[in-house]
Amino acid sequence: MTIRQALRAAILGIGILLAAQSACAAVTSPWCAAGKPVKFAGLNWESGSLLTELIRIVMEQGYGCKTDSIPGNTVAMEAALANNDIQVLAEEWIGRSQAWNDAYKAGKVLPLGKVIVGASEGWYVPEYVIKGDAARNIKPMAPDLKSVTDLARYKALFKDPEEPSKGRFLNCPIGWSCEGVNSQKLKAYQLSDSYVNFRPGTGPALDAAITSEYRRGKPLLFYYWGPTPLMGKFKLVKLVEPAYNEACFKTLTDKDQPKPCGSAAPEAIIRVGVSRAFGDGEPVLRGFLDKFNVPLDLLNKTLADMSDNKLEARQAAQDFLKRHPEVLKKWVDADVAAKVSAGLR
């Protein structure tokens, strides 16, 4: 071999090495390579817990990350995210929480991806309350109930068992962002004196209360949202609220506002919330989270299966990734998807 040939071979070898290093770097997470765990908000509602586990599995199997889940209510987790005590909150409803709004304005958190598209929320009653249910021998109880403005005259129908002179409104659990918004809505709709603001201890407790009353054909007024298993199982009617008004909705997200004004929720924008430190220092995982989305129909079906079969979120997430590799491949490169799939076998 001549000197020129040897030199060419050496240059070619260096090029191959650099290309290999570049390819490796493209799928190596700086955060995880440094040995730092990615800490998640331990969200305690079905879709939140499922989405959390989907992201954790991809990071663990596809990128070799260590992850952890920290329990706590939404507001506490948003504060932890702002302080980088946790790095990822898998289901953040943008604009609904003052804690998130303040952290975002201060540049401490970032929203990534379009996690769920087409979600809804509001105040609901079972359909049989308005239309009855002949198959269950239930007659209409409030045939002209259409909007939140009608509720003042129906407090006796939704009677609270502990305070019979008032109706009962089933709110979110204490600590959830929606709990504060709904509490303000009770004031805005002038229902605070006629309805008990009942807040279950957990998301499952809220579901259990709704399910129990629905199956017995009882009148029930509650806040709920989708995607969730119950939305697919039960026939529900969403009550009309005043049209969305940005200024009024700000009074609903501010728990200290003494005179809130009514407003429907804005269009649901659901993102992955990450701490600024994580988002700025983690281009690889940030790229994955920017693409992370679960189609609404698949999400509803998975949540229903999760509920019916009493699956833990981790198991439901593993089953989802096994059954829907085509969705996984939309989030990450083929080599990363292959690692995830191999780790699930």
Side-chain angles (χ1 to χ4, degrees), residues 125-128 214 230-231 233-237:
V125 298
E127 184 184 75
Y128 59 72
Y214 188 97
L230 293 188
M231 283 291 193
K233 292 180 181 181
F234 300 150
K235 293 181 179 180
L236 307 174
V237 173

Side-chain angles (χ1 to χ4, degrees), residues 218-272:
K218 299 295 184 181
L220 180 67
L221 170 67
F222 57 98
Y223 166 86
Y224 217 65
W225 71 98
T228 50
L230 293 188
M231 283 291 193
K233 292 180 181 181
F234 300 150
K235 293 181 179 180
L236 307 174
V237 173
K238 184 178 176 181
L239 298 181
V240 176
E241 295 184 73
Y244 171 66
N245 178 291
E246 183 179 2
C248 282
F249 199 78
K250 287 180 179 179
T251 70
L252 299 175
T253 60
D254 180 2
K255 63 181 178 61
D256 297 321
Q257 170 57 248
K259 294 182 179 180
C261 50
S263 167
E267 178 186 1
I269 301 174
I270 304 173
R271 317 285 294 274
V272 178

Side-chain angles (χ1 to χ4, degrees), residues 66-198:
K66 296 178 181 178
T67 75
D68 195 7
S69 179
I70 312 300
N73 64 52
T74 310
V75 175
M77 289 294 98
E78 288 167 335
L81 192 72
N83 293 327
N84 196 37
D85 294 328
I86 62 170
Q87 284 73 53
V88 182
L89 196 158
E91 187 182 326
E92 178 65 45
W93 290 57
I94 300 299
R96 308 302 173 83
S97 162
Q98 193 62 41
W100 169 270
N101 293 345
D102 291 343
Y104 179 72
K105 288 178 183 177
K108 295 181 177 181
V109 295
L110 293 170
L112 303 179
K114 294 182 179 179
V115 182
I116 305 170
V117 177
S120 62
E121 63 176 310
W123 289 18
Y124 290 85
V125 298
E127 184 184 75
Y128 59 72
V129 167
I130 298 171
K131 298 182 179 180
D133 185 346
R136 301 171 67 189
N137 198 29
I138 300 174
K139 295 181 179 180
M141 307 171 194
D144 59 347
L145 174 58
K146 296 180 180 179
S147 76
V148 293
T149 58
D150 299 323
L151 289 172
R153 53 194 171 89
Y154 281 111
K155 67 176 184 178
L157 177 64
F158 300 109
K159 182 170 64 175
D160 184 275
E162 297 174 9
E163 292 189 52
S165 63
K166 296 183 178 182
R168 170 174 286 192
F169 170 69
L170 266 177
N171 200 341
C172 299
I174 292 176
W176 288 19
S177 301
C178 50
E179 181 266 327
V181 170
N182 287 323
S183 296
Q184 287 291 84
K185 282 188 176 184
L186 285 169
K187 297 178 188 176
Y189 301 146
Q190 299 181 358
L191 297 172
S192 295
D193 293 334
S194 51
Y195 280 82
V196 171
N197 186 6
F198 188 87

Side-chain angles (χ1 to χ4, degrees), residues 1-59:
M1 179 184 293
T2 65
I3 294 176
R4 180 175 293 179
Q5 288 173 327
L7 184 59
R8 285 177 178 173
I11 292 172
L12 180 61
I14 291 171
I16 293 172
L17 177 62
L18 290 174
Q21 289 175 337
S22 176
C24 180
V27 295
T28 300
S29 156
W31 187 279
C32 299
K36 295 185 287 187
V38 183
K39 298 179 182 178
F40 286 73
L43 306 180
N44 60 354
W45 61 91
E46 293 97 335
S47 58
S49 61
L50 176 67
L51 295 169
T52 296
E53 293 305 319
L54 286 171
I55 297 173
R56 289 182 68 187
I57 290 170
V58 172
M59 287 188 180

